[in-house]
Every structure is written in structure tokens, then in C-alpha cells.
Amino acid sequence: MAALGVATGGGNWFSALALGVTLLKCLLIPTYHSTDFEVHRNWLAITHSLPISQWYYEATSEWTLDYPPFFAWFEYALSHVAKYFDQEMLNVRNLNYCSSRTLLFQRFSVIFTDTLFVYAVHECCKCIDGKKAGRELTEKPKFILSVLLLWNFGLLIVDHIHFQYNGFLSGLMLLSIARLFQKRHMEGAFLFAVLLHFKHIYLYVAPAYGVYLLRSYCFTANKPDGSIRWNSFSFLRLISLGLIVFLVSALSLGPFLALNQLPQVFSRLFPFKRGLCHAYWAPNFWALYSALDKVLSVIGLELKFLDPSKIPKASMTSGLVQQFQHTVLPSVTPLATLICTLIAILPSIFCLWFKPQGPRGFLRCLILCALSSFMFGWHVHEKAILLAVLPMSLLSVGKAGDASIFLILTTTGHYSLFPLLFTAPEKKNLFLIGWKLSTSLAWGLWKSSVNLYSLSPLGS
Amino acid sequence: MEKCYLMTAVVLLGLTVRWTVSLNSYSANLCTSCRYLLPGAGKPPMFGDYEAQRHWQEITINLPIKQWYFNGSDNNLQYWGLDYPPLTAYHSLLCAYVAKFINPDWIALHTSRGYESQAHKLFMRATVLIADLLIYIPAVVLYCCCLKEISTKKKIANALCILLYPGLILIDYGHFQYNSVSLGFALWGVLGVSYDWDLLGSLAFCLAINYKQMELYHSLPFFCFLLGKCFKKGLKGKGFVLLIKLACTVVASFILCWLPFFTEREQTLQVLRRLFPVDRGLFEDKVANIWCTFSVFLKIRDILPHHIQLMISFCFTFLSLLPACIKLTLHPSPRGFRFTLVSCALSFFLFSFQVHEKSILLVSLPVCLVLREIPFMSTWFLLVSTFSMLPLLLKDELLMPSVVTVIAFFIACATSFSIFEKTSEEELQLKSFSISVRKYFPCFTFLPRIIQHLYVGLLLPWPLPRSTGSGSAGPAAMAHGPSRSAACGIFLDRGMNPCPLHQQADSQPLCHQGSPEGHSFDSETSNLFIFIFIIT
């Protein structure tokens, strides 16, 4: 305790923030957890009790393994610690097993793996230019960024209540971004490749990485006007990047390739049968589309334009995960969503290619890719908004304009996460408080950053 | 503007911590459907404090006011009979009206005993939160905002530390009580009299006493401070007018609260009997005061007759708080008032009759108020006060929230006040004490270092739960053998000096404003030392 005091006294605010949020996470241990808790317990059981050849075939529980192999290995590693807490949780047949030790272990595993996230935030703070900051701690961009990231309200609900492992995954993403800012491109690429094999949702932002690394790393120099200089292409760099990606993928998918299980793995990873919208609609374009379709079908029925017998039975609002046909508007296929997403990210990719603005431009493109994929993707979870919110925090401490966009994005994004807390109103109460906390904090800090930056025009 | 946002963020953080503590379950299996069980839940026939509060709502809404404090067929006083003053009963009545509107089953006479459901728990927790939000938290915020001669940042840090004090959070939101109401009113009282709004302050304090009779621990300092103010203004002029006005305010507020019970003499007497159960004995269970500690060596409860015990505790209490009160009456000042609150509450806690371990909260509130003046000692005391309630918290299976909130509070104080840097004699307000000791022991120069080492040493075993086993009353007193005896060794010689306090008070030169108060409140700091060493 005395060491804690010495560490956090004397102005070491980063440790205080990190410790503070860790303590809050400990207080959230007994709160509601969703079926994701059982999902991860099941994966612990599968990876611990069964051989690798069974991992992607096991279907005793409805929550089958649908993350890439590195995550499965991660669960495997965790299961070796889990056996000291409660051996029973590692039994595949123990569906919905939830002893107090299981809960404690799972919750602590999330809290512990968040260490990577804390480290990544620390690295990101190094990338922020704080020279123009005032003397007040709350005006320093590093402090603001640390608060926005470490105390990110969305991450707290999704990870420490709803139960997931987004903390360390986001940490990997932020770390790879930080490495790119620090011009350590190989490391950044490696980290992102690893991240992809932990959770393939990060494919949303892969185009940004691909284009940026190709354009700004493989082409070593630009012409004076900023356009591409073709003869500066470094084949060596391209090969090394390719090699990194290839080696990581080989490590991840190799064993399953050897077992001829790749098609099965991919069918688990990309379940297109799940339908356009998730059970709880992510607030994206297709939600509006489906809502419009619903409204039109109701009007059509009222005005007798539609024949009631021809209307499909499956309803998008039933809260189930299944395929669905739209009534009035044309039905949407996965290919259609892909095309819409590609069209949406094209402008930012173009900018990144033709007018690269260094790491900040890359970050902007990354956020736009994440948002576009969120808007037009197939079967998007509302949790995917965190992919855009977290990197956006980095931009928001740089420019006043970005800060105001960030405020809107974070408020609406976090509000849209509320349906994840599917329980008694007491949860909603807590999150209203937390929401207000984050909003007022963001507002206050934005205000101070606006004061700070209104005088100095920052480039990109 | 920024100050407003930061203060809002601090308040919201306090509320978040409170709410998350209230979500804790008390059954062994955290994953059962009854996830939000409360202390004593599922433990018939008596359940716990939660059931007591629910029962009072049942009694107050279903029975006429004349039957609230009397034993009857509808009101069995053995089953959580009402034993707080009328304002608690009115508060319960108000909550009961809301409960009736939502679900009458919660407060149905007789049939609702032991009623437990998620919705009901949400309702009960919400009542605590709302009471806190309306009374205690605004008082804390206002207190911190009105502090003089410190920067905005320090004010906000002060508010954060006070709001994060673990003892109150764990008892109110974990164990389930409404201490924040009485402490909040008391704090409004402190604010009022410190900033010369004497009538409002005394009204607020009367409300506090009428909510929980334990607030009488704070009554003497209020009385002495206001009396001192009257003397200062001159008893022949304004002072007399003020005295009359205060007397009228106090009498009026008491009459208003007790009006329904003043109709018959028997009513008043019965309420008083319920409020002051002198039959219950010198102390109960484990409590970190002198009598409980002393009973490890000598079982006073068994040896001495009842009325002797009463007299002894009265004498000790009175004697220990006399110096500070006299000083306050002669030289009233807001700073002196705060320190006297600490001293008197501590005297009552240590020596009084039938003290419950939760009464430490009555000492903790004034210590929170002097946090910025002696941050090191105050933080130490507040941590130890939470520790002293550990047996109670462990019974309610609140170990995790206790540990977490204590660490959070410690970090908040360490970051806000740099407590490890401010440990010179001057900053610990022990300069004149050290000087007087050095008259007899010239080599006594190492006090700050000892304090620092003791603090570190005593804090080390904090997370380990104490065994709550055998009836032996003060197991905690026997712990930390070497460091304790070392500490007692240092202070034993102080005890040999017959009247150190008297000596200090006399040795002060006539004054400029700051210093006399600083010296004369060494007694309070010394009291704190003794207390800490005894209970740790």
C-alpha cells in the first residue's frame, strides 16, 4: 500500500488513472454478464479438453468457436490457469456452469489482460505532441487522451459487464497504430497481422493498413508536390511486409491447413447465414433500411397495396438471428453490403494513396474504414462502434473539429451500447451515471482542448 | 466552468462507486438468480438491517403514529422495533408511500416479513442513493467549494477524497443504512455555523439529532461553539439576542419533529426508552473502543454492576472532552470547531456507553473535514476506521468492495495531498507536543520518522481478514505486536506527565491569530494517535 502511495503521489497521474480504472473494474465483478460469459467458458473447455482437430468441429454447446486460431490458443493458455480456480468449468458438458470461482477467474482474466491496453495507451500518449499544453494537468493532451482511453465507458460496459476481451485486442490495435506513428512500420504490421488472427473483425480496417503501408512505407520517398515517386519503390520492404503477414498466417492457420479443416474454420469465422442485422440492431444503415421497409409494409398493408399472404413470416424485429427477406424494398445480400462498404471507403483510400499525410492521415482513413464497415457491413454488432471510437480519441486531442465529432460519436455510440445491458433497470441507472460521467468529462475536456488549440492551426 | 465539470465528474464518480458497491451480493454463490441479496438475506428469522428498514416502512404506513414505538400485536418490538428518533420514522413513511405506489406487497402488514425480490432491492438501494444525493453530497460539494485559501484543484481533490471515504459507502450501500442523511444534516449544520448562518446551521443539526440520536456525539461542540460566539458578541447585547434566537430555533425544531409524541407523557417516555437502551450493557459485539479493548485484560462487564458502568463511562467521556470544549467556548473559530468535533466524537466513541462499531462514522465525518489540514494523520485514521468495521463487513461478504474502495481512497488521498511528503513535525501539527516532550527527553527528535514507519508497518496486513471467531472482544488489539508495543513505549512517558494538555495550553504566548489553535489541538492529534494504536 505504501508503494502504491509513493507511485501515485508526486504527480504520477498515469498510474493513478490506470489503477483507478482497474479498481472500478474490480467493483464491476458481480454485475450482470451476458451469454458471452458462457461463450468464453465453453471455449476454455473446448480448448482445454479437446485436441486441436476438434476445436472447430465441437458443437455440444450452441456457442461454437468462431474466432481465429490465435484466440483459441489464448483461451488454451488461460485454461491452464483456470484449472487452479475451478476444474469443473473446463468440462465441455457443463453448459451454463457459473460458480463464483469461475466468475472470479473470468473477470480477473479480462482485468489482467487489460494490462496490454494500458501499455498501448501509454505508447499512444508518447505520440501526442504536448509541447503547447498549458501547465494545468487537465489541459495536457496526454492526460485527456489517457482519460478518454483508459476510462472509455463503452469498453467498460462491453468488457467488464457484458463480458468480452476487447480490451487487450484494442490494445493491440492501438499499439500497432502507435508503432506506425513512431515509424516502426514492421512492428506495426506484425502487430496488426497478429491482431487479425485474434479477432477477424479487424478486417474492417485492414484496407487502411494495406494502402498506408504500401504507399508510405514501400515507396520510400515522394515527389516535392507529394505525389507518388514510382522509382522509389522498395521491393525489399514489400517482401518483408509480405513475409511477416505470411508467417503470422502460417503460424495461425498452418495446423488447420495440415488437418484440411480450412473450409470449416472459414465457415465458422464468416457465418453469412446469421442475417443482415444482429439480434439487437447496430445503429447502421441497414437498420434504417429495415425500419423503412417495415414502415412501408405496414402502410402498404393498411392501404391494401400488399397482399398479406405474400408477406414472409420471419420478422427482423423479433430479436432472433436468422436470414430474412425484406417485404417492400429489395432484399440485401452479403455481396451488396460488401459493394456498399467498398464504395464508402473508396474516397478515404484514394486520399491515403494520392495525398498521404503521414500517420495522421492513416489514422483518419482507419477511422473512416471502421465507420464505413460499421454502417454498411453484414451482421454488424453494435460493439463494433468501439473500433471507431478508440482510434478517434487519438485524433480528438489534436484538433478542435475532430473533438466535436468525437463527442457526437462517443455519446451516440456508447448510448447505442445500452441494449447490451439486458437486465433490471438498476443497470440502466448505473450506466446513465457512467454515460453522464463520460459525456461531461468529454465535454469538459473538449472545452479545454478547444481553448488550447483555437490559437494554433495544426496540420492534418 | 471547468471547475463545474470537474466537480460534476467527481460527484458522478462517487455515485458510480456507491452504486457498484450496492450491487454486491451477499450469498456464497455469486451466480445464483438471487444475485443481489443483501446482508442477512435469506437468513431467517431475523434477516438484517435491510429488513429492519423495510419493516419500519411497513410499521409506519400501516399503523397509527401512536403505535409506532409501542409493543403490540401488530408491532412486535423484538422484531426490529423502531429505535431511532421520529425523523427516521417520517423518512420511512415517505419511502413507504412510494413503495405502496409501486407494489403494496412490499409493505403489507405481517405478510411482507422477509420480503426479498430484485425490484424491491432496486427500490431500497435507490432510496439510499436519492437520500445521499439530496442531502450528503451537496453538503460535501458546498463545503469544499467554500474552503478558503486553496486552489480550485485542491478543492475538487478534497471533494473526491471525502466522497470516496470507504466506511460510509460500505455501511450505507453495502450493509444498508441511512447514515448519509444524519451525517449530511450534521455537515449542513457545520457549514451553517462556520459561515455565520447560525440559525440555519443549528436547525440542520437539530434535524440530524432527530434523525439519529448518535449525532448527540457532535452536540457539545456545536453548543460550545455557538455559546462561544454569543460570549464574543457580548452577553449584554447581540450575543444575548443570538442566544435567545438559537434556543428558540432548537426548541421549535424539536417540537416540530416530536409533536405527535408530545401529546402524552407515556409516548415521550417510551420513545426515549427505545432511543437510549441503557439495559443493553457497556458494549456489544466487537467495537474498537476502550472498554472492549480493556475487557481483554479485565472483564468489566461481568465485574461491575450496571449503574457503576454507566457512571464510569459517563465520567471518562466527560473528562476527556472537557478541555477541547472549554477551549472552543473561550476561543470560538471554525477551525477550532472542526477539531473539537473530532475530539468530542472520538471521546464519545472511546468511552461512551453502548457504542456500536458503526459509530466510528461519526468520528470519520469530522476527520474528513480536517483532511486538508493534517492529510497524513486524517488519511491514516480514515483507513483504520474502515478497518475497524471489517468484522461487520466480512459478515456481509463485502471483502472485495472493502479492499477496492480502501485502495481507491488511499490512491485518491496520496495523489491529492502528497501525504508522504508532508510529515514534518510542523505539518503534523505536533510541534509544540514534541517541544514539551523534548524538555524531558532531549533526544526525542525522531517522531515524524517513527510515524511514517509505523504507518507503513501497520498498513501492511490490511487486506488480510481478521478472524471473527471466538467471543474474545478485541482480537485486533492483540495484533501487530511489535509495532504496537513500540508505539505504546513511546507514548507511555507522555502518560506519566500528569497534565500535558494543561501545560501546553499555558505555555502559549499571547497571540497572533494562527498559532494558539494549532498548539491546543495537539490534544486532538494525540487522541488520534492513541486511538489508532489501540484499535490496530
Side-chain angles (χ1 to χ4, degrees):
Chain A
M1 284 264 274
L4 267 175
V6 171
T8 54
N12 196 348
W13 48 266
F14 189 82
S15 315
L17 283 175
L19 269 163
V21 79
T22 309
L23 292 170
L24 184 62
K25 290 170 190 171
C26 290
L27 279 178
L28 290 175
I29 286 177
T31 54
Y32 156 79
H33 54 77
S34 68
T35 49
D36 272 337
F37 181 85
E38 166 59 15
V39 169
H40 288 277
R41 187 216 58 78
N42 189 39
W43 294 354
L44 279 173
I46 291 177
T47 51
H48 188 84
S49 333
L50 301 173
I52 299 179
S53 53
Q54 295 285 323
W55 285 2
Y56 283 93
Y57 280 94
E58 172 57 40
T60 312
S61 162
E62 58 180 314
W63 310 115
T64 54
L65 189 57
D66 55 3
Y67 276 17
F70 275 177
F71 202 89
W73 288 110
F74 167 71
E75 293 278 8
Y76 178 69
L78 277 181
S79 69
H80 284 286
V81 182
K83 67 183 180 203
Y84 296 111
F85 278 76
D86 189 349
Q87 194 74 20
E88 290 302 307
M89 77 170 105
L90 299 172
N91 187 344
V92 182
R93 308 241 167 271
N94 273 342
L95 297 178
N96 294 312
Y97 182 75
C98 176
S99 68
S100 55
R101 285 172 166 230
T102 311
L103 182 75
L104 220 62
F105 168 72
Q106 296 259 56
R107 291 283 195 206
F108 272 123
S109 66
V110 184
I111 296 174
F112 181 70
T113 50
D114 269 358
T115 327
L116 182 58
F117 183 70
V118 172
Y119 173 66
V121 172
H122 190 250
E123 290 294 305
C124 285
C125 286
K126 283 198 216 162
C127 304
I128 299 293
D129 176 20
K131 283 183 214 129
K132 290 165 197 144
R135 265 176 294 153
E136 272 290 320
L137 180 66
T138 53
E139 281 178 20
K140 290 204 180 107
K142 289 182 205 281
F143 177 77
I144 296 174
L145 181 65
S146 304
V147 171
L148 290 176
L149 284 174
L150 287 173
W151 287 74
N152 187 288
F153 174 58
L155 209 53
L156 274 175
I157 329 181
V158 173
D159 266 19
H160 299 278
I161 298 184
H162 184 78
F163 197 86
Q164 276 211 327
Y165 285 92
N166 293 305
F168 88 93
L169 295 171
S170 310
L172 272 174
M173 183 174 72
L174 287 174
L175 197 58
S176 77
I177 294 173
R179 292 291 177 250
L180 292 179
F181 266 78
Q182 291 161 356
K183 307 264 184 266
R184 290 150 74 169
H185 296 92
M186 301 281 269
E187 287 180 43
F190 171 72
L191 286 165
F192 184 68
V194 167
L195 179 64
L196 268 183
H197 287 277
F198 265 106
K199 197 169 180 180
H200 50 301
I201 201 176
Y202 291 92
L203 275 173
Y204 285 359
V205 300
Y209 272 88
V211 171
Y212 175 70
L213 285 169
L214 194 59
R215 174 67 179 86
S216 303
Y217 181 60
C218 296
F219 288 94
T220 47
N222 289 333
K223 286 189 190 151
D225 64 353
S227 65
I228 199 164
R229 184 182 287 202
W230 292 98
N231 58 7
S232 70
F233 184 74
S234 162
F235 216 57
L236 179 67
R237 287 187 174 185
L238 180 67
I239 295 284
S240 47
L241 282 177
L243 206 62
I244 289 174
V245 175
F246 175 74
L247 283 173
V248 171
S249 306
L251 197 63
S252 159
L253 297 168
F256 299 95
L257 187 64
L259 290 165
N260 278 329
Q261 288 185 354
L262 268 186
Q264 169 68 2
V265 173
F266 279 122
S267 75
R268 285 283 182 89
L269 258 50
F270 301 102
F272 285 106
K273 296 211 176 80
R274 283 202 189 159
L276 179 62
C277 291
H278 189 49
Y280 296 116
W281 292 5
N284 65 358
F285 178 77
W286 304 122
L288 290 173
Y289 188 85
S290 304
L292 183 64
D293 181 67
K294 195 85 184 164
V295 165
L296 287 176
S297 69
V298 167
I299 294 175
L301 278 173
E302 286 292 316
L303 300 177
K304 308 260 191 290
F305 283 140
L306 292 171
D307 183 1
S309 59
K310 291 209 189 113
I311 295 194
K313 292 271 162 52
S315 151
M316 282 213 109
T317 50
S318 65
L320 300 172
V321 174
Q322 60 190 311
Q323 283 196 303
F324 174 74
Q325 307 285 329
H326 285 103
T327 324
V328 175
L329 301 169
S331 289
V332 183
T333 60
L335 188 62
T337 61
L338 183 65
I339 293 173
C340 289
T341 314
L342 284 173
I343 295 174
I345 69 176
L346 227 45
S348 42
I349 296 288
F350 261 41
C351 273
L352 192 60
W353 179 266
F354 289 109
K355 280 196 173 166
Q357 290 165 344
R360 290 211 101 86
F362 156 70
L363 189 56
R364 213 170 279 277
C365 180
L366 183 144
I367 294 165
L368 284 165
C369 285
L371 280 172
S372 313
S373 307
F374 181 82
M375 269 313 204
F376 296 106
W378 177 268
H379 200 81
V380 173
H381 288 91
E382 63 271 291
K383 299 176 217 125
I385 196 67
L386 288 176
L387 249 82
V389 167
L390 291 170
M392 185 83 202
S393 319
L394 275 158
L395 277 186
S396 69
V397 292
K399 233 179 172 179
D402 289 336
S404 48
I405 297 173
F406 174 72
L407 190 61
I408 299 171
L409 182 66
T410 197
T411 311
T412 51
H414 292 163
Y415 188 67
S416 75
L417 290 171
F418 272 32
L420 286 175
L421 307 173
F422 179 61
T423 56
E426 70 188 271
K427 294 302 170 293
K428 301 239 161 93
N429 245 340
L430 169 63
F431 294 96
L432 279 171
I433 292 174
W435 168 62
K436 278 181 226 148
L437 174 79
S438 65
T439 316
S440 68
L441 200 62
W443 180 261
L445 297 172
W446 169 65
K447 271 277 184 189
S448 43
S449 67
V450 160
N451 293 338
L452 191 61
Y453 288 99
S454 56
L455 301 171
S456 58
L458 281 177
S460 71
Chain B
M1 239 355 205
E2 197 185 305
K3 175 171 116 177
C4 283
Y5 293 125
L6 286 173
M7 192 58 100
T8 317
V10 161
V11 168
L12 288 171
L13 185 65
L15 286 174
T16 309
V17 173
R18 282 158 166 74
W19 198 257
T20 47
V21 169
S22 77
L23 292 175
N24 272 276
S25 83
Y26 301 90
S27 63
N29 185 346
L30 289 170
C31 287
T32 58
S33 56
C34 289
R35 198 190 301 281
Y36 311 104
L37 294 176
L38 289 149
K43 292 178 197 159
M46 289 301 277
F47 304 93
D49 262 338
Y50 172 91
E51 168 63 14
Q53 301 287 348
R54 189 214 56 73
H55 182 66
W56 295 344
Q57 291 174 13
E58 173 195 336
I59 291 296
T60 49
I61 200 170
N62 288 309
L63 299 178
I65 211 168
K66 296 211 185 297
Q67 290 181 26
W68 288 359
Y69 285 92
F70 280 92
N71 210 356
S73 56
D74 285 334
N75 182 13
N76 178 10
L77 288 183
Q78 295 286 56
Y79 186 79
W80 301 116
L82 202 57
D83 54 4
Y84 283 133
L87 211 56
T88 298
Y90 302 146
H91 181 217
S92 299
L93 183 62
L94 184 65
C95 296
Y97 275 119
V98 179
K100 195 172 184 182
F101 178 71
I102 302 175
N103 183 353
D105 286 339
W106 292 347
I107 35 114
L109 193 59
H110 301 310
T111 50
S112 60
R113 275 203 191 180
Y115 190 99
E116 281 165 357
S117 78
Q118 266 199 28
H120 187 231
K121 267 146 216 107
L122 173 61
F123 166 72
M124 294 293 271
R125 291 299 195 200
T127 56
V128 183
L129 189 75
I130 290 170
D132 212 346
L133 199 54
L134 288 176
I135 302 177
Y136 181 70
I137 293 180
V140 172
V141 170
L142 196 60
Y143 174 79
C144 293
C145 289
C146 293
L147 286 173
K148 297 195 177 96
E149 291 161 30
I150 59 170
S151 66
T152 310
K153 225 173 68 169
K154 284 266 180 234
K155 288 184 191 176
I156 291 171
N158 207 353
L160 179 70
C161 293
I162 299 179
L163 286 178
L164 281 184
Y165 169 58
L168 188 58
I169 297 177
L170 291 166
I171 294 295
D172 270 13
Y173 292 87
H175 186 72
F176 201 94
Q177 280 210 329
Y178 289 99
N179 292 302
S180 54
V181 177
S182 57
L183 291 175
F185 277 133
L187 190 50
W188 280 112
V190 170
L191 267 171
V193 303
S194 300
Y195 292 101
D196 289 328
W197 290 10
D198 298 321
L199 296 182
L200 287 175
S202 45
L203 174 67
F205 186 65
C206 290
L207 289 176
I209 297 182
N210 281 309
Y211 193 88
K212 281 204 177 179
Q213 69 274 30
M214 276 80 84
E215 282 294 329
L216 283 170
Y217 286 17
H218 294 152
S219 55
L220 266 174
F222 271 90
F223 175 72
C224 295
F225 185 48
L226 290 168
L227 193 64
K229 272 195 185 179
C230 294
F231 285 158
K232 216 172 170 180
K233 288 190 176 167
L235 264 185
K236 293 201 177 144
K238 283 190 186 161
F240 188 67
V241 175
L242 180 63
L243 192 61
I244 296 294
K245 280 192 200 167
L246 287 169
C248 290
T249 313
V250 171
V251 169
S253 53
F254 267 83
I255 288 176
L256 261 174
C257 291
W258 287 66
L259 197 58
F261 305 97
F262 277 156
T263 49
E264 285 166 19
R265 191 166 170 272
E266 187 51 34
Q267 279 279 337
T268 320
L269 284 176
Q270 174 64 2
V271 178
L272 286 171
R273 254 178 250 132
R274 290 296 301 166
L275 260 51
F276 301 104
V278 290
D279 302 326
R280 276 165 83 171
L282 196 53
F283 62 87
E284 252 173 37
D285 215 357
K286 298 170 194 43
V287 59
N289 75 353
I290 296 284
W291 308 125
C292 192
T293 311
F294 207 59
S295 75
V296 173
F297 309 107
L298 185 69
K299 303 264 182 258
I300 314 176
R301 264 196 305 195
D302 302 331
I303 296 175
L304 294 173
H306 206 73
H307 63 281
I308 301 282
Q309 291 175 20
L310 206 54
M311 213 156 61
I312 289 182
S313 74
F314 174 76
C315 288
F316 271 84
T317 313
F318 188 67
L319 284 172
S320 61
L321 54 81
L322 209 51
C325 287
I326 292 175
K327 177 77 187 175
L328 184 64
T329 316
L330 297 175
H331 298 282
S333 73
R335 188 165 177 270
F337 175 52
R338 288 196 295 273
F339 277 97
T340 312
L341 275 172
V342 176
S343 174
C344 286
L346 201 48
S347 304
F348 270 100
F349 180 81
L350 287 173
F351 297 108
S352 178
F353 199 78
Q354 185 60 219
V355 172
H356 199 274
E357 62 220 317
K358 294 190 282 262
S359 306
I360 195 68
L361 293 175
L362 290 156
V363 191
S364 302
L365 177 71
V367 174
C368 286
L369 301 183
V370 301
L371 194 56
R372 88 178 163 90
E373 272 145 271
I374 35 169
F376 181 79
M377 294 304 302
S378 307
T379 310
W380 188 353
F381 179 85
L382 292 169
L383 289 173
V384 169
S385 67
T386 313
F387 176 73
S388 75
M389 293 188 284
L390 201 59
L392 182 67
L393 299 172
L394 285 178
K395 243 190 268 178
D396 299 332
E397 298 183 34
L398 282 171
L399 181 62
M400 170 73 88
S402 308
V403 172
V404 169
T405 45
V406 160
I407 298 176
F409 175 73
F410 179 71
I411 293 173
C413 290
T415 324
S416 316
F417 295 110
S418 308
I419 54 178
F420 286 105
E421 275 114 57
K422 295 193 180 150
T423 51
S424 70
E425 279 178 2
E426 186 101 21
E427 278 150 349
L428 288 178
Q429 312 266 356
L430 288 174
K431 194 164 179 120
S432 58
F433 169 69
S434 306
I435 291 171
S436 29
V437 172
R438 273 199 283 276
K439 281 186 195 157
Y440 301 94
F441 298 96
C443 49
F444 186 70
T445 52
F446 39 80
L447 183 59
R449 260 208 309 281
I450 295 171
I451 292 169
Q452 262 191 320
H453 289 313
L454 273 172
Y455 180 63
V456 169
L458 291 171
L459 271 184
L460 276 176
W462 208 102
L464 300 176
R466 294 270 148 251
S467 69
T468 53
S470 61
S472 161
M478 298 306 290
H480 309 292
S483 43
R484 259 196 82 249
S485 49
C488 288
I490 294 164
F491 285 92
L492 272 173
D493 38 277
R494 184 183 179 282
M496 281 166 9
N497 189 335
C499 194
L501 303 177
H502 178 71
Q503 206 165 26
Q504 281 172 47
D506 277 351
S507 62
Q508 298 326 311
L510 289 172
C511 275
H512 43 90
Q513 241 179 349
S515 40
E517 292 154 22
H519 311 145
S520 51
F521 294 102
D522 279 359
S523 57
E524 279 70 45
T525 332
S526 317
N527 256 349
L528 271 172
F529 268 106
I530 300 170
F531 169 67
I532 286 164
F533 295 138
I534 287 170
I535 72 172
T536 316

